[in-house]
Amino acid sequence: MTHQFLYFFTATILKWIPILNETKSKEVITNSLHFLVNDKRCKVYGFVIMPNHIHLIWQPLGKHELSDIQRDFLKFTGQQILFALKDNNSSVLNQLEVNLKDRRYQVWQRNPLNIKLTSREMIEQKLDYIHANPVNKKWNLASDYANYKYSSASYYLDDNSNFSFLTHYMEYFGF
């Protein structure tokens, strides 16, 4: 049964285009996570939204399968991001054009990464990785990872978060 484990998830924007720099795109993602948690489809233990990819640590709940949650999340967020780009007449839209049989545009690259986290050490290592991502020299989005708004770092460091959809990973272990 897939529900006993947490999963590290990474999804990347097509061609690594940095469309997640836009506040509206970040809000689409956080609002979607909020919906999935409130709808009791999954728990979210950690996240970061980078300019062209996202990382999550999540766990499917009840009858919900990880593949279904992932599909619905990517489809919904992709559609909402496309709507926002169309509304703003964004030139980025042309870069997302794929003209496939079933779609004209594509936001997310196919085959996102899901890694089953089988130990507390793995969970903590992935949380550290997620939280350190914005301060990495390549990105330089914040000088201190607790100050990067679109991450779960401040939730863990300061017990403070604007994201009510988060669950502390220690609850997974019964603490």
Side-chain angles (χ1 to χ4, degrees), residues 11-161:
T12 305
I13 299 297
L14 187 71
K15 303 174 195 168
W16 290 83
I17 300 167
I19 61 176
L20 299 178
N21 278 331
E22 300 295 323
T23 300
K24 177 67 176 158
S25 296
K26 292 174 186 149
E27 288 173 353
V28 164
I29 290 169
T30 57
N31 290 342
S32 182
L33 292 173
H34 188 81
F35 171 81
L36 290 170
V37 168
N38 280 352
D39 202 41
K40 300 193 181 343
R41 295 186 195 187
C42 67
K43 287 187 177 183
V44 176
Y45 296 91
F47 83 101
V48 68
I49 302 172
M50 300 298 289
N52 56 17
H53 66 284
I54 62 169
H55 297 296
L56 305 173
I57 294 177
W58 59 0
Q59 176 188 30
L61 296 176
K63 64 183 180 357
H64 301 284
E65 293 297 324
L66 182 63
S67 59
D68 296 337
I69 297 165
Q70 175 182 298
R71 179 200 62 227
D72 293 349
F73 172 75
L74 293 176
K75 182 177 179 181
F76 179 78
T77 56
Q79 288 173 336
Q80 295 301 307
I81 289 168
L82 283 175
F83 291 150
L85 291 172
K86 288 176 185 175
D87 287 347
N88 296 324
N89 295 316
S90 175
S91 60
V92 173
L93 197 56
N94 295 335
Q95 297 176 59
L96 299 173
E97 194 164 0
V98 291
N99 289 317
L100 297 174
K101 192 170 26 171
D102 62 341
R103 71 187 65 128
R104 182 170 176 193
Y105 300 100
Q106 182 172 325
V107 171
W108 300 105
Q109 288 187 25
R110 294 191 183 273
N111 303 318
L113 175 70
N114 261 314
I115 298 172
K116 185 187 297 185
L117 303 177
T118 58
S119 69
R120 180 175 169 180
E121 291 75 25
M122 284 182 77
I123 294 166
E124 289 172 347
Q125 186 272 331
K126 292 301 183 191
L127 272 174
D128 288 346
Y129 174 78
I130 285 171
H131 296 155
N133 219 308
V135 299
N136 182 304
K137 280 188 264 182
K138 176 181 178 180
W139 300 108
N140 201 25
L141 300 173
S143 58
D144 181 345
Y145 54 90
N147 295 331
Y148 184 65
K149 181 177 178 180
Y150 292 97
S151 163
S152 53
S154 66
Y155 174 78
Y156 284 102
L157 291 172
D158 303 328
D159 199 24
N160 168 359
S161 177

